[in-house]
Amino acid sequence: MPQPPSLPERLPLLLQDLPPRWAHFCLGVERFLQETGLDLEGKCLLVAVSGGADSTALLLVLHWLTPRLGCRLWAAHLDHGLRPESPEDAAFAGALCERLGLPCLAGAVDVAQAARSRGVGIEEAGREERYAFLERARREAHADLVAAGHHLNDLAEDQVMRQLRGTGWPALAGMEALDRGRRLLRPLLLTPKRDLEELLREVGVAWREDSSNRDPAFLRNRVRSSILPALKRENPNYLEAVASLWRQGRLDRAYWDARVDELTGGRAALQKQAAARRVVLGKADLMVAPPALRLRACKAALDSLGPGQALAEALLRLDHAVQRSSEGKVFQFPGGKQARVTPEGVVFTGPEPGAKRS
Amino acid sequence: MPQPPSLPERLPLLLQDLPPRWAHFCLGVERFLQETGLDLEGKCLLVAVSGGADSTALLLVLHWLTPRLGCRLWAAHLDHGLRPESPEDAAFAGALCERLGLPCLAGAVDVAQAARSRGVGIEEAGREERYAFLERARREAHADLVAAGHHLNDLAEDQVMRQLRGTGWPALAGMEALDRGRRLLRPLLLTPKRDLEELLREVGVAWREDSSNRDPAFLRNRVRSSILPALKRENPNYLEAVASLWRQGRLDRAYWDARVDELTGGRAALQKQAAARRVVLGKADLMVAPPALRLRACKAALDSLGPGQALAEALLRLDHAVQRSSEGKVFQFPGGKQARVTPEGVVFTGPEPGAKRS
């Protein structure tokens, strides 16, 4: 089978085949992976490959690093069926994996149809289908984690979108590099997109462009095309500020997770209660906790009950009621969850199984 | 002396003279003042009055609230000498104070000249001259605090400017309602500007417009005219998200202040060391502290040494060196301050007296 024209005749297959600058670049990604505290030795990663610059670069960098990381790679590509050229993206992903000698799981779905039948937007349906497919693929590959190509520019967009929604701290700092709950790893999260494109040009790989990344119907695209350029005009090093805020968020997340565990008896205890869709934070514990901790404990209780992000404002209102012991007050949260202030403390309940999420 | 046409014949002088909606509005400002934990009974406030909508509304609202707050008011106006119409602003402020029966201290300065002679921008020189004047006026009036007209739209701008600069949490949440160090109070900080203008129209007071508020040479004006409208387009309730983030920041600031006090022996102990321009955080204390706390302790030590904001990135780099006990490493911070990692711990030093701040 002839190679598609987008792959070069001689693609570097080993880290030592790379120009020094780019070998050094890969070692920076390795250091970032070490910072997550994750040991990849003996592990298997499933790399989500769309064919775009981000995930193509991710696949290559991880491939070059595998001898050092001691892990194995699989790839997976989902054809979303939204653009006429999407089969070519799939062919590109397949050809790249073949060249690297990596197994690739391919899937296809009709996202537009899924969006219609579930009454949600294309963006949301695409995300849900993609993550469901990747989770199936991860199990099929017996992989420990899914690796995704999110980079520093994605993180900058994510921070602005969280800012717009009214997300509190530390969630405002943006998506995690290692999301253990979702078994998701983002090795490039502090790498600027520009570096990824430059790397691909250097090694002669012509990635696929996804035209829907420019569609102004999607909030993310409007943030990318109008708000971020305005921020970068005011501070050309804005992406560095994004990375610093994220690093501070990581420290604070670890700090608050530990304090919340002390208050609640640990995640396992919360999860055990959450399995019965009812989590209680005792009044005595809450009343002696500083408000800053109480807020995070309530958020952890809500998070344990399933998807749906509680915003800062709603948590502040709940905490105000806790502080005043306003018994009987009920607060609704996204994802069909609610919190009720009772003489016992705060009782959090999850949605009925099978109930539609709000 | 005839009244300038901008003051109505019948200006409400008492809270009970206001339409119910606006009396209620004033009581909301009173509640916000209570939230700061400040008791104004028997206190004197010096209100900074520019003649713009914000400070005009502030003066009126505080005047209507004084019988309830039990405090006295003075006003102060500084003519910055930057616009040909500035003497009219001064006349307006004087006439308003006369009508309310309040003493008003007037001053004048040539900000453009001050900027040239100090080699700084107009914006910075204006701010420095203004706060120096207000501090002199506060002493002259024997006032406890200066009250400034910053409102929720100013806070939204402040958050974006801090985001642009790379400010860490909780400083990212924006300026304080009560800045005890600078003896500054911002009673309208969570009030939208729109409400202030509506109040003034309701009571028939035509405020003065400062044309320099539209000058795109100033970062704040560009944030106001381009970045904030883009954020509000995506979330029409964006100002509510700003207020929630600020409220969470206030909780976290109180939390971290208390933790830092435990680590450092309290602000008074820091201030005492800072008087000799040398503050030491002991290695034993730092090494057992979680990184999230260590970062804040280092920031508090730097803050005690005078003006100049340490950004998140610089604090993270310092903390990295502390964690690795990289003795001998020196870090420079704004305001001519520096931190040195030593066997003793971290030694923070302030600028030489009279040295130019970087």
Side-chain angles (χ1 to χ4, degrees), chain B residues 225-298:
Chain B
S225 66
S226 81
I227 296 177
L228 281 176
L231 294 170
K232 284 187 204 158
R233 260 195 306 278
E234 297 300 344
N235 178 4
N237 298 319
Y238 178 65
L239 286 181
E240 290 172 23
V242 167
S244 295
L245 192 67
W246 183 86
R247 284 186 184 277
Q248 201 201 342
R250 180 169 60 176
L251 292 187
D252 279 10
R253 198 189 293 262
Y255 178 86
W256 287 116
D257 282 354
R259 296 294 83 71
V260 167
D261 282 353
E262 288 164 11
L263 185 91
T264 61
R267 297 292 137 140
L270 274 188
Q271 290 298 342
K272 202 172 152 193
Q273 289 189 63
R277 299 196 313 281
R278 188 172 185 278
V279 175
V280 181
L281 295 183
K283 186 167 178 169
D285 291 336
L286 285 179
M287 294 311 277
V288 298
L293 171 56
R294 217 156 51 198
L295 211 68
R296 270 84 183 197
C298 290

Side-chain angles (χ1 to χ4, degrees), chain A residues 265-288:
Chain A
R267 296 294 137 139
L270 275 188
Q271 290 300 341
K272 203 173 153 193
Q273 289 189 64
R277 299 196 312 283
R278 188 172 185 279
V279 175
V280 181
L281 295 182
K283 188 167 177 170
D285 291 335
L286 285 179
M287 294 310 278
V288 298

Side-chain angles (χ1 to χ4, degrees), chain B residues 18-90:
Chain B
L18 290 176
R21 175 186 165 190
W22 294 108
H24 185 77
F25 171 85
C26 292
L27 297 181
V29 175
E30 184 187 8
R31 269 197 305 280
F32 182 70
L33 285 171
Q34 286 161 351
E35 276 182 44
T36 66
L38 184 70
D39 182 4
L40 286 171
E41 179 82 42
K43 297 280 199 315
C44 177
L45 290 182
L46 179 89
V47 185
V49 181
S50 69
D54 321 344
S55 58
T56 301
L58 175 66
L59 187 66
L60 287 167
V61 170
L62 288 178
H63 176 74
W64 292 322
L65 285 174
T66 39
R68 297 179 59 94
L69 296 172
C71 66
R72 287 174 304 115
L73 297 185
W74 278 61
H77 174 88
L78 180 66
D79 184 339
H80 290 54
L82 288 169
R83 292 170 292 115
E85 69 274 22
S86 67
E88 293 163 44
D89 300 351

Side-chain angles (χ1 to χ4, degrees), chain A residues 160 163-170 172 219 222-223 226-227 230-235 238 240-241 243-245 247-248 251-252 255-256 259 290-293 295-296 312-313 316 319, chain B residues 160 163-170 172 219 222-223 226-227 230-235 238 240-241 243-245 247-248 251-252 255-256 259 290-293 295-296 312-313 316 319:
Chain A
V160 168
Q163 171 184 1
L164 281 168
R165 271 203 298 274
T167 304
W169 182 263
L172 179 64
L219 169 62
R222 296 195 301 273
V223 169
S226 83
I227 297 178
L231 294 169
K232 284 188 204 159
R233 260 196 305 279
E234 296 301 344
N235 178 4
Y238 178 65
E240 289 172 24
S244 295
L245 192 66
R247 285 184 183 278
Q248 202 200 342
L251 292 187
D252 279 10
Y255 178 85
W256 288 116
R259 296 293 84 69
L293 171 56
L295 211 67
R296 270 83 185 198
E313 192 192 358
L316 285 162
D319 190 66
Chain B
V160 169
Q163 171 184 1
L164 280 169
R165 270 203 299 274
T167 303
W169 182 262
L172 178 64
L219 169 62
R222 296 194 301 273
V223 168
S226 81
I227 296 177
L231 294 170
K232 284 187 204 158
R233 260 195 306 278
E234 297 300 344
N235 178 4
Y238 178 65
E240 290 172 23
S244 295
L245 192 67
R247 284 186 184 277
Q248 201 201 342
L251 292 187
D252 279 10
Y255 178 86
W256 287 116
R259 296 294 83 71
L293 171 56
L295 211 68
R296 270 84 183 197
E313 192 192 357
L316 285 161
D319 190 66

